[in-house]
Amino acid sequence: MIKKIAALIIGLGLISTTALALTLNGAGATFPFPIYSKWISEYHKAAGTQVNYQSIGSGGGVRQFIAGTVDFGASDAPMTEEEMKRAGGEVLHIPTVMGAVAISYNLPGVVELKLDADTLADIFLGKIKKWNDGAIAELNPGVNLPGKNILVAHRSDGSGTTHIFSSYMAKISSAWASQVGAGKALSWPAGVGGKGNEGVTGVIRVNQGAIGYIELSYAMTNKLPVVALKNRAGKFVKPSIASTSAAAAGALKKMPKDFRADITNAGGSDSYPISGFTWLLVHKEQKDAVKGKALVDFLKWSLSDGQKYAEALLYSPLPENLQAKVMDTIKSISY
Amino acid sequence: MRKTGDAWFNLVTFLFALSIPLLLLLLVAILIGQALPAIKIFGAGFIISSSWDPVKETFGALPYIYGTLVSSLIALAIAVPLGLGAALYLAEVSRSRYKEYLAVMIELLAAIPSIIYGLWGIFVLGPLFGLSMLSGGVILAIMILPTISAISREVFRSVPNILKESALALGATRWETVKLAVFGPARSGILGAIILGLGRALGETMAVTMVIGNRPEISASIFAPAYTLASVIANEFAEASSDVYLSALVELGIILLLITMIVNGLARLLIWKTVGKSNIF
């Protein structure tokens, strides 16, 4: 009898340890959380592996990854050299999906609005203060622009969306680069801050004359008008899943081997200029063989079967030739 | 035997009592430890500098301190007269059978989660006053109103009837009775109610950040956007990746803690000074 109980206890112990070994823990960016949680539930059905993902923000994800409390991190901004050094060993950036940052506005009666890089920069720098400013009018002939004050809306919380937006602004405007710079949180020259994409969306929706940057999915679900931006090829392009994928394809030639690429202001006539990757952060040398294999399997699945879930959630899947390159990197993980 | 029992009881309760201040000390120690890098780099300049630039890593707390204090003062300016007036009506003036329902409804305000206030603020106060210091103050006023009115109502009620009856017997009018026999003895209780309200206003995060505009700037106009200590910590903590940035945020937390402690200390002094020994509460 005692033997039986002992065997049972040992058996239970084994089950729970194997179950534990197959639980992967990750933390980081909030922007890809909808697609990651979709992947996690689909992958659990397909492979039985349990993945926990906590969307605590990119900065938090990087910190937890460096501290070694999670099996993988996630970030909308690539890790810096110094951060990678502190994480120890070789760190791989695995791009998973892409997103676009839309410029939305609230001007009743104005359905189409075109802006170029300089005008956009001057608006967000607070230099252009009224909607009927000559610079805006020149780009929008025939549009009846009101003499309203412009209210710039930006994120008050640190965010990967801000990182992508400000990386673009710093590229196209030297005044922005020297005065404001690029980062997840900035010292804003103008406007008001809203908390989260929903906060900025709220500011735009209730204030006539407001303009702000939000993730494309928020502009679409709230049916807010979006600005057509002049890209490097000189064409005015609205943000969409297709124009974001085009930006990645345009940046492919110059893609660095570690995928820490900034694809804002990408070449190509159909590219939307403010788009970016989101990455999973993993160690190249996995210490735990069982977990390492589970992680690699999950990554492989995400980059292949997982990609088809992206568009329904308004993310852009990676272009196919990039998927192949990323797959090679995933295969280089040792465990 | 009995004596040892007493001694043990004494010791155990003493340890319990000690554990609470100890917890506070531990909290402060951890905060100071985390904030040390920022304290070393910026020194006293942190408190008087107005520049908050995470990209260039220069940090200053002044606009946040200003925003916290001014928004709370606006809240008090609105909520104190309203809250005390409501409490007075419910405790002293009204003879209506339905006043209990009114009281419950006021107290219900305290049960609403702050995010709901924030959402309401975006859609109602935003178009009215803009995303500004004033909107932040008004939202805070509504949030501390139930605290102030519920506590002062209890304070008014606990004033012994004999005091009021004596005043009336001496020929005092209704207002004189309230002034002499209710406000007088209840002074410290009223101050206590206001301080509790102020405490909530200083530390409130979510609702304020949604309507105040989140702009670290000191502006003379209350229609201009502002920013508070609690809000900036909540907003920027999750994505603060560099060590200096993180510790600057923790230092803001220490400043907030100090402000609430100073405010509470001052209020306590005020109570002792104004009320003295005649105080019945």
Side-chain angles (χ1 to χ4, degrees):
Chain A
M1 184 62 190
I2 290 173
K3 264 189 186 171
K4 263 189 189 168
I5 293 173
L8 194 70
I9 290 170
I10 291 167
L12 281 175
L14 280 179
I15 290 167
S16 63
T17 45
T18 44
L20 274 178
L22 283 178
T23 299
L24 296 170
N25 290 307
T30 49
F31 159 65
F33 180 61
I35 181 85
Y36 287 175
S37 50
K38 177 75 180 167
W39 282 351
I40 285 166
S41 81
E42 292 297 328
Y43 189 62
H44 183 64
K45 275 184 235 161
T49 305
Q50 182 72 45
V51 184
N52 294 327
Y53 182 75
Q54 294 174 31
S55 58
I56 56 172
S58 297
V62 169
R63 268 206 302 282
Q64 299 295 328
F65 180 69
I66 290 173
T69 49
V70 288
D71 302 314
F72 63 90
S75 178
D76 300 334
M79 286 170 82
T80 61
E81 295 293 337
E82 196 244 327
E83 282 170 343
M84 296 208 289
K85 222 176 269 168
R86 271 166 47 207
E90 196 176 333
V91 176
L92 299 178
H93 285 70
I94 309 291
T96 49
V97 288
M98 287 170 303
V101 178
I103 310 292
S104 262
Y105 60 94
N106 178 350
L107 276 183
V110 180
V111 232
E112 296 284 333
L113 190 67
K114 291 177 184 165
L115 292 176
D116 62 8
D118 290 337
T119 319
L120 185 72
D122 283 349
I123 290 174
F124 277 84
L125 281 167
K127 285 181 192 159
I128 295 180
K129 291 183 162 50
K130 295 229 180 256
W131 277 106
N132 57 1
D133 189 282
I136 305 176
E138 202 177 307
L139 291 166
N140 296 279
V143 176
N144 188 17
L145 292 162
K148 270 190 192 335
N149 285 328
I150 296 177
L151 175 70
V152 170
H154 56 76
R155 291 284 286 271
S156 62
D157 49 335
S159 121
T161 314
T162 303
H163 177 85
I164 293 172
F165 175 76
S166 58
S167 302
Y168 170 68
M169 295 295 261
K171 264 188 199 172
I172 51 130
S173 156
S174 56
W176 185 278
S178 62
Q179 254 189 62
V180 187
K184 291 177 199 164
L186 309 168
S187 173
W188 288 92
V192 295
K195 186 166 166 51
N197 275 296
E198 59 281 10
V200 177
T201 307
V203 172
I204 297 172
R205 280 182 62 177
V206 299
N207 292 288
Q208 282 190 16
I211 185 168
Y213 64 94
I214 46 179
E215 276 161 25
L216 176 60
S217 59
Y218 282 84
M220 280 175 139
T221 45
N222 286 287
K223 298 195 169 56
L224 290 173
V226 292
V227 170
L229 274 177
K230 194 175 185 177
N231 65 14
R232 240 169 65 195
K235 217 175 130 187
F236 288 96
V237 177
K238 281 191 176 179
S240 68
I241 291 165
S243 62
T244 310
S245 286
L252 212 55
K253 275 176 231 147
K254 282 193 255 165
M255 179 70 65
K257 271 193 167 157
D258 61 2
F259 303 119
R260 289 193 297 156
D262 177 349
I263 58 167
T264 57
N265 206 22
S269 67
D270 297 322
S271 302
Y272 181 70
I274 321 181
S275 37
F277 289 118
T278 184
W279 293 270
L280 288 181
L281 312 167
V282 294
H283 287 288
K284 188 168 184 183
E285 273 112 44
Q286 293 289 321
K287 287 183 187 115
D288 183 326
V290 182
K291 271 196 174 183
K293 182 175 185 319
L295 183 59
V296 167
D297 289 344
F298 175 63
L299 292 176
K300 280 182 184 166
W301 183 89
S302 307
L303 264 287
S304 50
D305 295 352
Q307 293 288 314
K308 65 171 178 277
Y309 299 106
E311 290 196 18
L313 295 165
L314 299 171
Y315 299 92
S316 303
L318 300 184
E320 266 173 33
N321 36 7
L322 180 60
Q323 279 181 31
K325 281 187 183 173
V326 178
M327 209 52 115
D328 288 341
T329 301
I330 295 173
K331 282 174 189 157
S332 75
I333 298 172
S334 65
Y335 49 84
Chain B
M1 188 61 202
R2 189 158 162 209
K3 276 212 165 147
T4 41
D6 277 352
W8 274 109
F9 184 65
N10 196 328
L11 183 72
V12 169
T13 47
F14 170 70
L15 285 180
F16 284 164
L18 195 68
S19 68
I20 297 167
L22 216 63
L23 209 63
L24 182 69
L25 278 181
L26 218 69
L27 189 90
V28 174
I30 295 278
L31 283 182
I32 291 177
Q34 293 278 324
L36 218 52
I39 295 173
K40 271 184 193 151
I41 294 173
F42 304 111
F46 189 74
I47 303 173
I48 46 170
S49 161
S50 295
S51 152
W52 184 269
D53 190 335
V55 179
K56 302 189 179 87
E57 299 208 327
T58 54
F59 299 105
L62 196 60
Y64 303 111
I65 299 174
Y66 175 81
T68 302
L69 291 177
V70 173
S71 62
S72 296
L73 282 179
I74 294 175
L76 281 189
I78 300 169
V80 166
L82 261 176
L84 289 187
L88 203 60
Y89 174 79
L90 292 171
E92 296 298 329
V93 183
S94 169
R95 292 200 178 79
S96 163
R97 283 186 292 146
Y98 301 108
K99 66 178 184 181
E100 282 305 318
Y101 297 108
L102 200 61
V104 168
M105 274 165 72
I106 292 175
E107 276 157 39
L108 219 59
L109 276 179
I112 298 174
S114 56
I115 188 109
I116 309 285
Y117 282 111
L119 282 174
W120 174 83
I122 281 193
F123 292 109
V124 178
L125 294 178
L128 220 60
F129 305 127
L131 297 169
S132 63
M133 182 80 96
L134 183 60
S135 294
V138 170
I139 264 278
L140 284 175
I142 299 169
M143 294 177 77
I144 65 176
L145 202 55
T147 313
I148 293 180
S149 83
I151 295 175
S152 43
R153 185 171 75 114
E154 286 313 307
V155 171
F156 292 150
R157 273 180 164 179
S158 55
V159 172
N161 269 335
I162 189 149
L163 290 180
K164 297 174 215 163
E165 283 159 11
S166 314
L168 287 170
L170 287 170
T173 63
R174 191 95 173 254
W175 166 240
E176 283 165 341
T177 311
V178 166
K179 204 169 80 173
L180 294 169
V182 179
F183 274 163
R187 252 184 310 187
S188 74
I190 295 171
L191 266 177
I194 295 172
I195 291 158
L196 273 179
L198 181 59
R200 180 166 190 201
L202 288 171
E204 174 53 43
T205 309
M206 193 50 79
V208 179
T209 199
M210 290 171 85
V211 298
I212 203 165
N214 302 317
R215 186 158 180 72
E217 219 170 59
I218 297 175
S219 171
S221 163
I222 56 170
F223 290 99
Y227 217 152
T228 68
L229 287 163
S231 298
V232 69
I233 297 171
N235 271 328
E236 299 193 0
F237 193 79
E239 296 282 348
S241 37
S242 89
D243 288 341
V244 184
Y245 188 9
L246 199 67
S247 79
L249 285 169
V250 177
E251 196 176 348
L252 289 184
I254 296 178
I255 292 173
L256 181 58
L257 191 69
L258 278 178
I259 289 178
T260 43
M261 279 169 141
I262 291 170
V263 164
N264 267 299
L266 282 179
R268 225 151 261 283
L269 267 180
L270 204 67
I271 293 174
W272 283 332
K273 274 244 165 97
T274 57
V275 183
K277 285 180 190 122
S278 66
N279 174 33
I280 58 164
F281 296 106

